[in-house]
Amino acid sequence: MLSPEPVLAQELSSRSHAKRLFMTTNMSIPIGAHDVHTQDDLLIALTRLMSSNLDVSRWMIRLNTDFNNEGTAYIDTKKLQVMLDLRKEQKLMHSHADSEAWFERHVQLNARKRILNGLQETSMDVIHICRPDIYPDYKSFVEFIKLYGAVVEAEPPSIRGYVESYCLMHPSGEIQVNQGAVVLYDENYQRQGISYPQTLIHEKALAGATKAVATKLMDSYNAVGFMTITYSVFWDGFEEISRLWASSVSFGMHSAFGALGTMACLTRPLDTPVGSEALFMKVPDGRCFIHVPSLVHLPLMSSRDDIFFKLCKMHGIAFDYERKTGLLFFLVDSVIGGMLSFIAVAETRIKSLEFSIHALTFILRNFGKSDETLTNSTNSWCSLNNVLRNLKSSLKLEVGRVRAIE
């Protein structure tokens, strides 16, 4: 009921397999290569892609199987002098010759050779590994590529953000699709939470793409249960519209479904019974929320649950059941475990971000001002300081977007 058989789910959620799945449904996917299994495969893919797509500023390298993008690395092409030189040459060639001349075989082979030399001269240090606590260097990362395989894909130009689409493939054959949420990542692509609902892409476009994949899965694999597809959303300057690239698929319920179900229960009218329908599909209009599933702040270990919640309530950090707004904590563990999870509900995205920032700032000021003990920890990506900094950045971007619309 919750997901396909574990063996099938693991196979289908492999990034390389997901690429093939998306292609069979005519989905747009990032420019790239899949089924990369050796260092030679990686270098061939990188040089071929970089030489023919000089405008791409960042190339992502992702392991086929990982959790929360832990197996992600990337190359910023602006850090390679050879790429800057090739862009100048391409521009000069376009001004004096046919625009297709750059893609002639001898030109491309020369460009690939120079890019390969440029990569090797840096000893591959130009590749930034997002989780050095797990993969301390390029050599160790390549060992996992040999073990699991990987994909190489372009980060789209003019990227607007990343969106998750949530779907239920019911055993009866019915497909339910939620309107989706914006994923909140840190600078190393570690997922810190979601902002619901998403407004980066038209809801019908997102639902149509997700239903096409779900239909293929049910018809070809008899798959049922919950599915999440992650898309990158970018602006197409030629057509003046937003577009989607499908990047990954996963199965089963996770924290976002719990947040959506909780949201549906909290905001439904009191006289409405809870039926057997999927609650995560029934979030009412006029409500936005921020959900952070895992936040670590070790200074909380010196506090107590009763003191923590009493102080929060005194400072207005609570949920108002009448107005259906405010902040609600999920008790992943006792507060003295040093970990929190919460959902901040408001009428607008800006308000929900402000609720979240106010709550985390209060915790930081009253229960410890720094997470120095987490600086070199595997949990530094979900430390309170890191989450708070990225929420402030998201708020700034959202305010700018609203002002631009006005």
Side-chain angles (χ1 to χ4, degrees):
M1 293 291 289
L2 299 181
S3 71
E5 292 293 330
V7 174
L8 178 61
Q10 183 177 8
E11 177 187 353
L12 294 174
S13 59
S14 163
R15 294 187 191 276
S16 291
H17 195 290
K19 299 289 184 188
R20 294 192 290 271
L21 172 65
F22 295 144
M23 287 188 286
T24 59
T25 56
N26 296 318
M27 288 283 295
S28 296
I29 61 174
I31 301 166
H34 53 80
D35 293 312
V36 174
H37 289 282
T38 66
Q39 177 173 260
D40 288 343
D41 289 346
L42 178 61
L43 290 173
I44 291 171
L46 284 172
T47 54
R48 176 176 59 83
L49 292 167
M50 292 167 71
S51 66
S52 57
N53 300 278
L54 294 180
D55 58 325
V56 174
S57 59
R58 177 172 289 185
W59 290 96
M60 312 299 300
I61 307 167
R62 305 181 190 271
L63 294 180
N64 275 335
T65 304
D66 69 353
F67 170 75
N68 192 33
N69 286 327
E70 289 174 346
T72 296
Y74 62 81
I75 296 178
D76 281 330
T77 55
K78 63 183 179 182
K79 294 183 178 181
L80 277 172
Q81 183 60 44
V82 64
M83 291 297 292
L84 302 179
D85 294 339
L86 289 173
R87 285 169 184 163
K88 291 178 182 178
E89 292 174 20
Q90 184 189 42
K91 186 176 180 180
L92 184 64
M93 186 177 291
H94 283 184
S95 64
H96 291 87
D98 179 56
S99 60
E100 297 298 321
W102 180 259
F103 299 100
E104 292 181 2
R105 179 176 174 79
H106 70 281
V107 177
Q108 282 292 297
L109 290 176
N110 178 62
R112 294 178 193 179
K113 182 178 180 180
R114 291 167 62 185
I115 293 172
L116 177 61
N117 291 336
L119 289 172
Q120 292 175 335
E121 285 174 2
T122 67
S123 301
M124 306 306 287
D125 289 340
V126 71
I127 296 180
H128 175 83
I129 298 173
C130 292
R131 290 296 299 273
D133 53 297
I134 302 176
Y135 313 99
D137 51 34
Y138 170 73
K139 183 178 180 181
S140 63
F141 190 75
V142 169
E143 291 302 314
F144 279 86
I145 291 179
K146 294 177 181 178
L147 184 62
Y148 296 113
V151 299
V152 178
E153 56 188 30
E155 185 174 74
S158 304
I159 187 165
R160 302 184 66 189
Y162 295 88
V163 170
E164 285 182 344
S165 180
Y166 309 115
C167 174
L168 171 61
M169 300 176 289
H170 198 276
S172 66
E174 181 184 1
I175 298 174
Q176 293 177 287
V177 180
N178 183 269
Q179 66 187 96
V182 176
V183 189
L184 304 177
Y185 287 122
D186 70 0
E187 63 274 13
N188 285 318
Y189 298 93
Q190 300 302 288
R191 185 181 185 277
Q192 294 182 328
I194 60 171
S195 174
Y196 178 93
Q198 68 81 24
T199 54
L200 299 181
I201 192 76
H202 197 284
E203 182 181 345
K204 289 185 178 179
L206 187 67
T210 304
K211 282 186 177 180
V213 176
T215 301
K216 177 66 176 179
L217 288 171
M218 295 184 77
D219 291 345
S220 300
Y221 300 96
N222 295 319
V224 296
F226 294 94
M227 175 181 69
T228 302
I229 301 179
T230 303
Y231 302 88
S232 52
V233 182
F234 64 98
W235 182 253
D236 186 338
F238 293 103
E239 299 291 338
E240 295 293 322
I241 57 173
S242 293
R243 293 195 180 276
L244 289 171
W245 277 354
S247 57
S248 66
V249 61
S250 61
F251 299 92
M253 298 191 75
H254 51 75
S255 61
F257 289 96
L260 287 162
T262 301
M263 180 77 171
C265 289
L266 289 174
T267 56
R268 79 182 193 279
L270 295 177
D271 58 348
T272 302
V274 180
S276 59
E277 296 180 344
L279 286 175
F280 78 96
M281 301 297 174
K282 301 299 180 182
V283 177
D285 295 332
R287 284 294 180 272
C288 300
F289 71 80
I290 300 294
H291 173 51
V292 176
S294 178
L295 180 149
V296 176
H297 193 58
L298 295 188
L300 288 173
M301 297 174 70
S302 61
S303 180
R304 298 202 323 247
D305 287 16
D306 55 342
I307 294 175
F308 175 81
F309 289 114
K310 183 177 181 179
L311 285 174
C312 285
K313 189 172 183 179
M314 288 172 60
H315 288 79
I317 303 172
F319 187 81
D320 186 332
Y321 281 96
E322 292 185 1
R323 297 178 59 191
K324 308 293 185 182
T325 60
L327 191 135
L328 185 74
F329 289 100
F330 295 102
L331 283 180
V332 180
D333 192 1
S334 169
V335 171
I336 62 175
M339 179 176 288
L340 295 174
S341 175
F342 68 85
I343 182 172
V345 185
E347 296 89 351
T348 66
R349 191 186 309 278
I350 290 178
K351 280 289 185 182
S352 62
L353 283 165
E354 289 176 342
F355 281 164
S356 303
I357 292 170
H358 170 64
L360 298 190
T361 302
F362 164 78
I363 294 171
L364 195 63
R365 289 175 178 173
N366 290 271
F367 295 93
K369 293 188 176 181
S370 66
D371 281 336
E372 295 178 359
T373 52
L374 281 174
T375 301
N376 298 314
S377 168
T378 57
N379 290 325
S380 60
W381 61 272
C382 62
S383 69
L384 188 147
N385 283 332
N386 195 4
V387 174
L388 178 57
R389 180 176 64 254
N390 288 311
L391 286 175
K392 288 180 178 179
S393 177
S394 297
L395 176 60
K396 184 177 180 180
L397 290 173
E398 183 65 19
V399 170
R401 188 186 69 82
V402 171
R403 287 177 178 173
I405 294 174
E406 293 175 348

